[in-house]
Amino acid sequence: MRYALIMAGGAGTRLWPLSRSARPKQLIGFIPPESGEGPARSLLELAASRLDGLVDESHRFICTAERYRDQIRDRVPGFTDERILGEPAARDTVNAVGFGAAVFERLDPDAVFCVLTSDHIIRPDDRFRERMETGFRLVEEDPSRLVTFSVKPTYPATGFGYVQHGPPIADGNEKYDGRAFRVAQFVEKPDLPRAQAYVESGDFGWNAGMFVFKASTFLECLRKFKPESHDGLRQIQAAWTTPDRQGVLDRVYPELPKISVDYAVMEPAGKDESLSICGVEMDVDWLDVGSWPSYAETLPADSDGNRSGGDAKAVTVDSRGNLVVSEGTGDHTVALLGCEDLCVVHTKDATLVMPLAQAEKLKALHGKLPSELT
């Protein structure tokens, strides 16, 4: 059977002060509806809705920090406690994916699951489902396949990983729609000259951070390549349907080695002849909402390029290219006079003012804030 694991554990420090440790970016209702009508939605809600028609609702799970459980139940009430995998500590993506694999295999020895992110806007939904369907079919046909997804780059980003496309995968009846390929290599966050060369070559795509695996195959990869994680997750799996579940999880999970799924599994798997690393072109509009400039791309602009988000009441004069965001501030008005390319984010206890071009430095500022504001 098919399962889905939505990863929802990130903190989103580059979206401060809206995103806080007590309420991360994936739970903020700040994404305007595509139609322009209706309430704003959270990134997590969007991620869950993309699975409609692809994975049965009862087989959709969220992996997140345990402290966000109640907020997730409020934001996406369709997810019961049994389908929220609460991490007692953050141990990076290989353990989050392994956590899901261990639970799914316990529920269903033949489980095949997709791993989805919760910090992207992906459109259109129907094309996303078509490409994910290809990923599922690849693994269902051959469980030794580990499938990743490649997004066509629109600029030479240095903050994303890249996937190099190898030979296409053909099956004689066009079941894969010409979108499946062998992965030649993964490259993590290249410098600008290499990123430019990758984009110009046409052979590379952005690593979307989404995957499809057979649960038992992924756990076998952990046994080979990261045995410390494998052993701990097997202990959690053995206790999952017993009264000792939470005690074992709380004791074992925080001690798992912290490492990403790309480094721990995908890279070494590419050198293992018993495994096949496959890719699927995800030819969609893909926006990583990880910073204020990227969030601005989700909002309509006025004739001067100014954008407003949240419940912002903005007044601008002789101002161009600004982003103004407010939340929970009632009738508070933000007025800009003679300003260009600024980001102004106002909340009830903090206000951020910065040039949009300096957005990548926000993480450093976040590190200097008092704990009660983070």
Side-chain angles (χ1 to χ4, degrees):
M1 295 289 289
R2 293 180 178 181
Y3 293 78
L5 181 69
I6 303 173
M7 310 280 275
T13 56
R14 289 182 297 152
L15 286 171
W16 184 87
L18 224 59
S19 179
R20 308 287 181 99
S21 59
R23 189 194 61 170
K25 65 178 180 179
Q26 61 268 24
L27 295 176
I28 302 170
F30 71 151
I31 304 300
E34 196 172 2
S35 65
E37 299 180 358
R41 302 174 74 191
S42 68
L43 289 164
L44 181 58
E45 288 174 282
L46 294 177
S49 68
R50 283 186 208 113
L51 290 164
D52 291 344
L54 187 67
V55 176
D56 187 89
E57 187 173 352
S58 65
H59 287 181
R60 303 176 196 175
F61 287 67
I62 294 172
C63 185
T64 187
E66 177 60 36
R67 66 182 182 275
Y68 301 143
R69 179 180 294 273
D70 291 343
Q71 292 184 65
I72 287 175
R73 288 290 305 275
D74 291 340
R75 178 61 70 176
V76 279
F79 285 83
T80 62
D81 273 333
E82 283 296 309
R83 293 189 290 115
I84 299 173
L85 306 184
E87 296 178 289
R91 303 312 296 164
D92 217 322
T93 54
V94 78
N95 296 300
V97 175
F99 188 7
V103 171
F104 299 151
E105 190 193 46
R106 182 65 184 251
L107 298 174
D108 176 1
D110 293 321
V112 174
F113 70 106
C114 63
V115 178
L116 305 182
T117 58
S118 63
D119 46 10
H120 298 101
I121 292 176
I122 301 172
R123 294 169 177 157
D125 283 351
D126 57 352
R127 189 173 301 161
F128 163 83
R129 294 185 189 105
E130 289 172 4
R131 301 302 175 241
M132 194 60 62
E133 175 71 26
T134 297
F136 270 115
R137 289 183 179 180
L138 283 164
V139 174
E140 288 163 351
E141 182 180 275
D142 181 353
S144 72
R145 288 170 170 162
L146 310 178
V147 173
T148 188
F149 293 85
S150 168
V151 176
K152 185 176 181 178
T154 55
Y155 67 97
T158 57
F160 301 149
Y162 285 72
V163 178
Q164 185 179 17
H165 295 204
I169 298 173
D171 67 347
N173 61 10
E174 299 184 356
K175 179 168 59 179
Y176 301 136
D177 194 28
R179 298 294 177 179
F181 58 89
R182 306 285 181 186
V183 172
Q185 67 168 327
F186 292 96
V187 181
E188 278 297 305
K189 298 181 180 178
D191 56 24
L192 183 58
R194 282 197 300 158
Q196 289 174 328
Y198 293 160
V199 173
E200 291 169 4
S201 75
D203 294 333
F204 289 80
W206 287 334
N207 185 351
M210 298 183 288
F211 307 93
V212 178
F213 306 115
K214 184 169 184 179
S216 58
T217 300
F218 189 83
L219 291 169
E220 176 62 15
C221 287
L222 286 181
R223 188 191 66 78
K224 289 181 179 181
F225 310 131
K226 207 66 185 170
E228 307 96 320
S229 287
H230 175 268
D231 293 347
L233 290 167
R234 286 296 190 190
Q235 292 180 54
I236 293 168
Q237 182 189 57
W240 193 249
T241 56
T242 76
D244 295 331
R245 172 199 292 189
Q246 196 63 47
V248 173
L249 181 64
D250 290 344
R251 174 176 57 82
V252 173
Y253 200 86
E255 300 302 318
L256 299 178
K258 196 172 185 180
I259 186 171
S260 75
V261 67
D262 297 290
Y263 284 127
V265 170
M266 301 305 285
E267 287 190 2
K271 303 171 186 176
D272 189 314
E273 294 183 356
S274 69
L275 299 167
S276 177
I277 311 301
C278 304
V280 176
E281 290 184 50
M282 187 68 79
D283 50 342
V284 295
D285 294 327
W286 185 81
L287 178 63
D288 181 3
V289 188
S291 66
W292 287 119
S294 62
Y295 172 67
E297 294 182 44
T298 71
L299 305 171
D302 66 14
S303 59
D304 292 315
N306 299 301
R307 303 170 193 262
S308 298
D311 52 12
K313 295 178 176 64
V315 177
T316 61
V317 174
D318 294 332
S319 298
R320 288 171 292 278
N322 300 289
L323 170 65
V324 178
V325 182
S326 293
E327 183 188 55
T329 54
D331 294 327
H332 186 92
T333 296
V334 176
L336 300 182
L337 174 62
C339 297
E340 292 190 16
D341 302 322
L342 286 182
C343 174
V344 180
V345 185
H346 183 68
T347 69
K348 62 182 180 180
D349 62 350
T351 301
L352 169 70
V353 181
M354 71 175 181
L356 282 164
Q358 298 290 313
E360 289 300 317
K361 296 182 180 179
L362 183 53
K363 196 169 185 178
L365 173 65
H366 187 271
K368 295 187 175 182
L369 295 170
S371 59
E372 62 269 20
L373 289 180
T374 62

